[in-house]
Amino acid sequence: MTTPVKLYLYDLSNGMAKQLSRQLTGRQIDGIWHTSVVIFGKEVFYGQGISTTLPGRSHHGAPLQIVDMGETAIDEETFGEYLAEMKEHYTADKYHLLEFNCNSFTNDVVGFLTGGSIPDFIKDLPTDFLSTPFGAALRPTIDAMYRRPPPNAPTPSSPAVTPAAAATAAPEATPNPQLAAQLLQAVASRAAASTASTAAPNTATQSLTAPIHAITNPASFNTFLKNHRASVAFFTSATCGPCRMIEPVFERLAEEKGIKADGRGAGFAKIDIDVGLGNSLASQWNVRATPTFMFFLDGEKLDELKGADANELRTQVDLLLFQAFPPHPHTSLSLPAVQALSLNPILFTQVPAIDTVLTKLSSFIDSTTWPSSTPHTPTQVQQILTGTVAPYLKARFPASPSTKLPSATTAILISWSHATLALSSTLPVASLFPLVDLWRLALLDPAVGTWVASSPVVSNPLSIFVNKATTTLQQSDPSSNPRNFLLTTLRLLSNAFATPVLAQTLFTSARAAVAAVVIPSLLHTDGLVRTAAASLTFNVSAYLQKGRVEKVRGGAENVQEDEDWEVEMVSAVVEALDREVTSEEVVHRLTASLACLLRVSPAYGNQLSPLLEVLQARDVLKRKLAKGGCGEEGVTKKDVRKLIEEVANKLCP
C-alpha cells in the first residue's frame, strides 16, 4: 500500500518578490519559497525545529501551490521514527535563510519518502539570488542576521535589517536600499516566526556562519554536490568514538573554510549512516568504516580520508579549495618594488593664507549680480564665511603647532554647506576655486570627512563641485573649464581619501563621477593639473588595492569590483603615461596607479591582460626609461626606474 506525498508551497515575501525582484536584482524571482511536506494527514516543516500541524493550518496560512511529489511505500510508524532522528539534526539554532532552511528539510524528507527531490526552482533560489550583484552584496548582512550568538548571550527575537544596513551592504547593487530593506525584513520576519526559539543553541554549531548540511538520503546528497563547487562529506555514526573526536575539527573547518560572501569556500555535509537512508548512501559510496571523509570538485570525487587524522583532514580541505579556487597568479610573483609602495593617500596639506583666500572670494561675490531667488543674501553668505568658517579653519590649522585642534561641528558644516550651495548656483565656475580650496583644507579634519560622507547630495560640497567639473569638462571650449577650479577640485577629491568612510563612499557610490573628472584631467596641458589628477588616480587605485590584498589574505571584502570601470581607468593611465614626457613625478604616480589597478585584479586574465597588449603598455613604460621618454635623460630616480621595470616586465604581457 502506498501513500501520496504532497509539497505545500508558500511565498515568504507575500508577492513582494514577484513585483520588485527585477527592479532590485535585475532578475525575475517569483517568490521567496517556504515548503512543507504533507503526508499521513499532517503537514511537516522546519523552522522552530521540526513542527507538525494539520495541512494548511500553520502560521503560513493557505499554500500558494500544492505539488504532487509521488507516492511512498514507507509506513507512518517508520516515518515517525525518521522524524524523531531528524529532530536532532534540524534544530532551531541551525536555521539559516540561505544555507539551511525549510527547503533543505523538505528536500531531505522527499528524498527519504520517494527517492526524489523538490523542484529545481525552489532548490536553486539561493544560488540564483546570490548570483545577482544585490544578492552578493547582501550576503554578509544575511549571514550576520543568522550568526550564532556566543554562549550565554540572549537570543534575538527576530533578525533585523535596516535601510542603512541595506544601503551600506549594497549601495551600487540596488537603486532603492529602503525598498530592499523592507523586502528582506519581510522575508526574515516570516522566517523568524518559525525559527524563534528559547532552546539552548547546539554547542557544535553555535559559532558557525553557515551550517553543516545534515544529509540523510541519496537525493539530498546529490543536490548538495550539485550546489557546491567544492564539497566535503563526513560519514559518521553515533556509536563511533573516533568520529566524536574528529567532529569538532570538522566543525571548525566548516566555519573557517565554508562559503564566504564572494562565493568561495566549500560546502560541508555530515551523513550519519544510522539516520534515514544514510546507510544506503554510505553503501552507494562504498563507505566501509567511520569516520570517512570524501572530497568533491564539481560533483566528482577527488579523494577520501579514512580515520580521525586532523592534520590530514585540514590538508585535504586546503588542497580541495586550492583546486576549486586557485589563487590569483600575481600572488606567486616577486614584486618588491610594487609591494614597497605606500598605499596611504596622497594629500594636499598646504595651508593657504585664509584671510587672503576669503578676500579673493569676497571680491568675486561683490562683483556678481545676486539673484533675488537665492535663499541667502551676499551679506549673509559673507557673514557665514568670515564669522563661522574662518575662525574654525584658523583654529584647526594654526600658524604655529598646537596640541588642541578643534573639529568642525555639525552646525558649522550645515551653515557652510548652505552658503556653498548659494555660491555655486550664483558665481561663475571660474570664481569658485577659493571656496573649493577652503573645503580642500577642511577635509583634512576627520569630522568634516565623516559628515560629508553622509550629507545629502543636494548640499554635499563634493557632489556640487564634481558635478560642476564634469559639466564643464564636457564642453568643447577648453576655456570654459578654468584651470584653477579644476586644480583645486582634483586636490579636494584627493583629500577626501584622508577619511576612510568618505573614501569608501566615493569609491562605491561616486566612482563613475570621479572617473569623469580625473580621466580628462590626466591629459591637461597644465603640469600641476596633471600632477593633481595623477595623485587622485593613485588614491583611488590604492584604495582598490588595499581591499584586494585584504581579500587575498582572507580578510573581509569591502571593495566592489567593476570591470568596465577598471578597463576605462587602465586605458586612461596608459595613455597618460604615453603622453607624459616632462614630469617624472607624474610618471611615478601613474605607474604606481597602474600597478595597483592590475595587481591581483579579478579581471586581469580575461579583460586587462588583452587590453594591455593592445595598448602596448610594456613598450609605453619602457620608453619612459629611455632618453627623451621623460625629460632629456628619461626617468632618473632609481626607485622609480625599478618600479617601472617591474610593472612593465611582470604585470604587462
Side-chain angles (χ1 to χ4, degrees):
M1 181 178 176
T2 60
T3 304
V5 180
K6 304 292 183 182
L7 186 74
Y8 276 27
L9 187 63
Y10 305 86
D11 178 13
L12 291 177
S13 73
N14 280 333
M16 290 177 67
K18 188 172 185 177
Q19 295 176 2
L20 306 175
S21 58
R22 189 169 296 279
Q23 175 185 348
L24 294 174
T25 70
R27 177 176 299 182
Q28 182 60 40
I29 297 175
D30 290 331
I32 308 299
W33 306 121
H34 165 84
T35 56
S36 58
V37 174
V38 174
I39 187 173
F40 303 122
K42 300 174 183 177
E43 181 175 354
V44 185
F45 57 94
Y46 170 52
Q48 187 177 348
I50 296 175
S51 300
T52 303
T53 184
L54 292 175
R57 298 294 182 87
S58 74
H59 64 281
H60 294 105
L64 187 67
Q65 184 179 347
I66 299 177
V67 182
D68 186 356
M69 301 305 301
E71 297 188 343
T72 182
I74 293 173
D75 59 58
E76 186 171 2
E77 183 180 354
T78 302
F79 182 62
E81 293 172 354
Y82 168 78
L83 285 183
E85 293 175 340
M86 294 294 284
K87 284 183 178 180
E88 298 180 7
H89 297 274
Y90 280 91
T91 54
D93 66 291
K94 292 182 183 178
Y95 188 93
H96 188 286
L97 190 63
L98 297 175
E99 290 281 354
F100 198 75
N101 54 32
C102 55
N103 302 323
S104 310
F105 171 71
T106 53
N107 195 53
D108 262 357
V109 173
V110 168
F112 173 76
L113 291 172
T114 70
S117 61
I118 63 177
D120 287 344
F121 75 90
I122 301 172
K123 292 186 301 185
D124 296 343
L125 177 60
T127 302
D128 291 343
F129 173 71
L130 292 173
S131 68
T132 67
F134 175 58
L138 274 183
R139 174 61 191 262
T141 302
I142 295 172
D143 281 341
M145 290 161 61
Y146 291 94
R147 186 167 289 119
R148 290 7 176 201
N152 303 321
T155 302
S157 58
S158 65
V161 59
T162 64
T168 301
E172 285 185 327
T174 174
N176 195 329
Q178 177 81 27
L179 197 60
Q182 291 175 357
L183 176 58
L184 184 56
Q185 185 61 55
V187 173
S189 296
R190 291 202 71 191
S194 62
T195 61
S197 173
T198 57
N202 184 321
T203 56
T205 62
Q206 62 187 10
S207 63
L208 299 185
T209 298
I212 295 171
H213 294 255
I215 304 293
T216 63
N217 61 79
S220 293
F221 190 62
N222 291 336
T223 300
F224 167 74
L225 294 180
K226 176 185 175 182
N227 290 340
H228 295 86
R229 174 162 171 74
S231 309
V232 183
F234 172 27
F235 289 86
T236 182
S237 170
T239 59
C240 169
C243 295
R244 291 193 294 272
M245 292 174 58
I246 196 69
E247 188 166 2
V249 178
F250 182 74
E251 290 166 349
R252 283 196 298 272
L253 285 171
E255 179 182 3
E256 297 168 6
K257 312 289 185 178
I259 305 296
K260 300 297 188 292
D262 61 356
R264 299 166 71 91
F268 288 78
K270 177 181 173 182
I271 303 100
D272 189 328
I273 64 173
D274 299 322
V275 175
L277 297 179
N279 192 47
S280 174
L281 181 58
S283 297
Q284 179 182 330
W285 290 96
N286 297 315
V287 175
R288 304 292 185 220
T290 55
T292 293
F293 298 91
M294 293 186 181
F295 308 91
F296 298 83
L297 181 63
D298 293 326
E300 298 293 327
K301 180 182 171 183
L302 293 183
D303 207 345
E304 74 174 55
L305 169 66
K306 298 182 185 297
D309 188 333
N311 291 333
E312 183 62 22
L313 175 59
R314 183 174 289 276
T315 298
Q316 290 287 351
V317 171
D318 287 340
L319 179 60
L320 172 66
L321 291 175
F322 183 87
Q323 292 176 269
F325 309 100
H328 197 287
H330 289 169
T331 59
S332 62
L333 293 178
S334 175
L335 299 168
V338 172
Q339 290 175 320
L341 288 171
S342 169
L343 298 182
N344 293 328
I346 298 172
L347 304 177
F348 293 87
T349 60
Q350 61 272 30
V351 180
I354 293 171
D355 287 334
T356 302
V357 174
L358 287 174
T359 299
K360 187 71 173 177
L361 184 57
S362 294
S363 69
F364 291 146
I365 295 173
D366 293 337
S367 62
T368 301
T369 301
W370 205 265
S372 58
S373 59
T374 305
H376 294 78
T377 66
T379 301
Q380 290 173 326
V381 169
Q382 295 201 39
Q383 285 176 344
I384 292 172
L385 293 174
T386 58
T388 302
V389 176
Y392 153 68
L393 290 176
K394 290 178 181 178
R396 177 72 193 186
F397 305 98
S400 53
S402 173
T403 56
K404 294 183 179 180
L405 300 177
S407 294
T409 64
T410 301
I412 291 174
L413 294 171
I414 289 176
S415 61
W416 190 5
S417 67
H418 289 165
T420 297
L421 183 60
L423 290 168
S424 65
S425 61
T426 304
L427 297 182
V429 172
S431 301
L432 290 175
F433 72 89
L435 178 63
V436 179
D437 203 40
L438 293 176
W439 277 109
R440 185 268 310 167
L441 184 63
L443 280 180
L444 297 174
D445 178 357
V448 177
T450 302
W451 181 85
V452 170
S454 60
S455 66
V457 173
V458 66
S459 59
N460 187 308
L462 283 188
S463 299
I464 291 171
F465 299 137
V466 167
N467 289 338
K468 287 281 185 183
T470 303
T471 301
T472 51
L473 278 168
Q474 291 171 348
Q475 312 255 340
S476 56
D477 180 9
S479 64
S480 65
N481 192 355
R483 175 258 192 195
N484 287 346
F485 171 73
L486 182 58
L487 176 62
T488 50
T489 299
L490 290 167
R491 290 174 173 175
L492 168 85
L493 289 171
S494 293
N495 282 8
F497 285 83
T499 305
V501 67
L502 181 55
Q504 182 180 10
T505 301
L506 272 183
F507 195 84
T508 54
S509 60
R511 187 175 356 188
V514 172
V517 174
V518 74
I519 288 175
S521 301
L522 289 171
L523 305 178
H524 201 277
T525 56
D526 185 88
L528 287 178
V529 171
R530 295 199 307 275
T531 301
S535 302
L536 176 56
T537 302
F538 174 77
N539 288 354
V540 174
S541 305
Y543 181 86
L544 177 63
Q545 179 67 191
K546 280 182 182 179
R548 287 174 175 168
V549 170
E550 181 69 18
K551 178 181 175 182
V552 168
R553 290 173 177 170
E557 182 183 7
N558 59 0
V559 173
Q560 295 179 12
E561 299 286 352
D562 184 334
E563 290 189 4
D564 293 339
W565 177 86
E566 288 179 47
V567 167
E568 186 179 19
M569 289 297 294
V570 168
S571 300
V573 169
V574 173
E575 182 181 3
L577 276 166
D578 192 27
R579 295 195 186 188
E580 186 58 57
V581 293
T582 58
S583 173
E584 186 167 324
E585 183 179 13
V586 170
V587 168
H588 186 191
R589 295 180 185 187
L590 289 176
T591 304
S593 300
L594 185 61
C596 291
L597 289 168
L598 298 179
R599 185 178 176 230
V600 299
S601 168
Y604 183 84
N606 61 350
Q607 290 274 4
L608 300 184
S609 182
L611 174 66
L612 293 168
E613 288 191 77
V614 171
L615 298 176
Q616 299 180 323
R618 176 179 288 190
D619 293 338
V620 168
L621 284 165
K622 290 190 172 182
R623 282 199 294 270
K624 301 296 110 179
L625 304 175
K627 289 187 176 181
C630 182
E632 292 184 5
E633 300 299 321
V635 172
T636 57
K637 293 180 180 177
K638 289 184 179 180
D639 60 332
V640 181
R641 290 184 67 88
K642 182 182 289 187
L643 177 65
I644 292 173
E645 290 171 348
E646 192 169 279
V647 174
N649 293 329
K650 295 186 177 181
L651 294 180
C652 294

